[in-house]
Amino acid sequence: MHPRAAEYLKGLQDRICAALAAADGGATFREDSWTRPGGGGGRTRVIENGAVFEKGGVNYSEVYGEFAPEFAKQMPGDGLSFTAVGVSLVLHPHNPLVPTVHANFRYLTHGSKAWFGGGGDLTPYYPFKEDVVHFHKTWKRACDAHPTVADYAKMKKDCDEYFHLKHRNEARGVGGIFFDYMDATEDAFAFVRRAGDAFVEAYVPIVDRRKGLSYTPEQRFFQEYRRGRYVEFNLVYDRGTVFGLKTNGRTESILMSLPPVVRYIYDYTPAPGTPEADLTRYWLQPKDWADMDGDV
């Protein structure tokens, strides 16, 4: 399974980068190939200061070696030996009307245990209902095509619970799907391929709809403030960040997910009744988005 997963994920990185560069129209991805001292390496691809994307990355990694004993106890499986192959991506657009997005698809082994994990989630700053509904419906179609292994309702709920900043009792975004520790069967691999291929369909149409919209300095200010939540989640809770740092991964690639410009403001609260206040009051409350129509 490992070489097949690696071949698929390398190709997925290529296809996603091509689609995102085309959507940006002003920049291409720079690639850094790297090796990990303990075994393996990867290809980090970064886009910066484009027409649409202020910063983003689509990373492929394939690493192997031994876990530290204390970290091995926290992972499914047995012994210390592990392998991991995956694609992870984050895109931070300039325009606050274009949402940030994250996705990850991975295959891991630890001793006798092998599993898949991944998903995709959307973090808008000024949400549009049709965008949120489109994003969720795309993932639901991918799940519904593989009912033996993929339950959209559960994966959506798990996403809402995972991308939650416990210290603020606040969601990071409007969710998507999240799954982990999925036994590495052929059915699971078929679903992961379907989900990986669905990313471009889920996100690029949103980019194309919103990238030409004008925005104000005040909207940009709020985007930079909300990006702080992204930083907090990735540094405190994100499993991929923890896994990469605990296994001596490439730090630049692991922290590629952080936005380039962020504001931290003491005790900032948007005025009631504004779009900024509505983000947390309405949009970041879990909803059955895939059951809604996409009308504004």
Side-chain angles (χ1 to χ4, degrees):
M1 185 72 79
H2 181 98
R4 294 167 59 208
E7 180 181 13
Y8 168 73
L9 291 166
K10 278 184 180 179
L12 181 65
Q13 183 193 36
D14 292 339
R15 294 189 297 277
I16 289 175
C17 286
L20 292 172
D24 185 274
T28 57
F29 282 85
R30 154 194 167 193
E31 179 175 297
D32 286 333
S33 295
W34 53 274
T35 57
R36 175 179 171 274
R43 307 186 306 196
T44 295
R45 292 181 182 169
V46 174
I47 189 169
E48 293 180 294
N49 299 315
V52 175
F53 300 115
E54 186 173 8
K55 180 189 175 187
V58 182
N59 293 345
Y60 168 82
S61 62
E62 184 178 6
V63 299
Y64 55 87
E66 291 194 347
F67 288 138
E70 64 274 14
F71 187 58
K73 294 175 184 176
Q74 302 172 33
M75 302 295 288
D78 48 77
L80 300 179
S81 296
F82 78 92
T83 69
V85 58
V87 165
S88 181
L89 65 92
V90 176
L91 279 304
H92 294 288
H94 290 281
N95 190 331
L97 304 182
V98 182
T100 288
V101 73
H102 159 261
N104 174 281
F105 303 97
R106 57 194 179 272
Y107 170 76
L108 295 92
T109 70
H110 175 206
S112 59
K113 179 72 172 176
W115 69 94
F116 288 102
D121 64 285
L122 197 69
T123 304
Y125 307 98
Y126 291 89
F128 295 82
K129 182 182 177 184
E130 67 175 306
D131 296 346
V132 178
V133 170
H134 164 83
F135 192 78
H136 278 271
K137 283 184 180 292
T138 304
W139 295 119
K140 186 176 187 302
R141 285 193 296 271
C143 292
D144 289 350
H146 299 272
T148 61
V149 293
D151 180 341
Y152 166 77
K154 181 180 187 305
M155 291 182 179
K156 191 264 186 194
K157 182 175 183 291
D158 289 347
C159 187
D160 290 337
E161 293 177 353
Y162 178 69
F163 291 104
H164 188 83
L165 286 83
K166 299 177 183 65
H167 60 285
R168 293 188 183 274
N169 191 28
E170 181 181 292
R172 186 174 83 172
V174 296
I177 61 169
F178 175 84
F179 60 97
D180 208 354
Y181 309 126
M182 179 184 284
D183 288 343
T185 63
E186 288 296 332
D187 285 350
F189 189 28
F191 163 68
V192 169
R193 295 196 300 271
R194 177 70 65 101
D197 292 344
F199 170 77
V200 170
E201 177 189 355
Y203 183 60
V204 171
I206 298 173
V207 174
D208 289 340
R209 282 196 291 266
R210 309 303 169 197
K211 65 185 180 182
L213 298 179
S214 60
Y215 58 92
T216 66
E218 291 77 16
Q219 288 173 321
R220 173 68 181 183
F221 174 95
F222 184 68
Q223 176 204 47
E224 292 171 355
Y225 161 72
R226 287 297 309 180
R227 282 174 169 179
R229 302 297 203 265
Y230 219 88
V231 173
E232 291 176 25
F233 182 87
N234 280 28
L235 294 183
V236 177
Y237 301 114
D238 187 76
R239 293 181 188 175
T241 301
V242 172
F243 182 90
L245 296 175
K246 290 285 189 181
T247 56
N248 298 315
R250 183 173 185 255
T251 302
E252 285 298 309
S253 299
I254 297 165
L255 299 183
M256 172 278 305
S257 62
L258 301 183
V261 180
V262 183
R263 291 179 186 266
Y264 271 91
I265 305 163
Y266 178 74
D267 201 24
Y268 170 77
T269 303
T274 62
E276 292 78 10
D278 285 345
L279 178 68
T280 50
R281 182 194 65 81
Y282 176 79
W283 294 98
L284 300 187
Q285 305 303 316
K287 293 177 175 59
D288 294 327
W289 298 108
D291 292 336
M292 299 182 188
D293 62 52
D295 295 337
V296 177

